[in-house]
Amino acid sequence: MHNWLSQEIVEVLEAVWTNEERGNADAAELCAVAMTDVTEELLATCERDGYVTRHNGEVKLTPLGRQTAGEIIRRHRLAERLVVDVLGMTLEESEADACEFEHLLAPNVTDAICTLLGHPRFCPHNHPIPEGACCRQTEERVNSLVTSLDRLNVGEQAQVAYVSADNFPRIQKLFALGLAPGVPVKVHQKTPSYVIQCDETQIALERDIARNIYVWRRAINGAA
Ligand SMILES: [Zn+2]
Ligand SMILES: [Zn+2]
């Protein structure tokens, strides 16, 4: 476990991960993405402890560094989802500093929260959330509170939690139709085509779009 890691080292590992995500290993770029001052001393400590390698001005995660950083990034991004989807706040409203998000989730409840949220693939900034063991188990998580729209039954009501965003124009189109986070939806029919009721409007969707809309099952008394 990495519980004993200093916050500074955690920040460095997060920065190296983020840098690598952007296809970049340039040490000079680290300061731009890090929440802390990435000093030579900090990098040397990370190298000595086996988390990174340094070569020709490049900093890369070792397998240990990748595993450690991946767990932290996962908690960080799941915590962001939790704040937005379950607490219904914007990240700014939550008043947590960007470097504090991973502390909102205890390591031993991370997979439970991931399951609760329906194993989201992206954080609210649209950065990928590293998979956990829970995500790799058989995908059908029966009573997960958050599930994709295509798994609802006809007549079932839910509220849009988030839209998995890998196609912005499509999503903007859905938002324009009123299908945005927080909006109550009801499945009208599933065959021959997928039709949902969203407030007063009926919207026909392709199934693969319905699969990318995540909803939150809860009683919506009186609404819609
Ligand atoms: Zn994020
Ligand atoms: Zn998961």
Side-chain angles (χ1 to χ4, degrees), residues 74 114-115 119 134-135:
R74 174 168 157 74
C114 186
T115 303
H119 311 284
C134 59
C135 315

Side-chain angles (χ1 to χ4, degrees), residues 16-24 73 77 127-130:
V16 178
W17 176 285
T18 306
N19 223 16
E20 287 189 1
E21 240 171 19
R22 299 173 183 176
N24 194 338
I73 292 278
R77 293 179 180 169
H127 298 141
I129 299 173

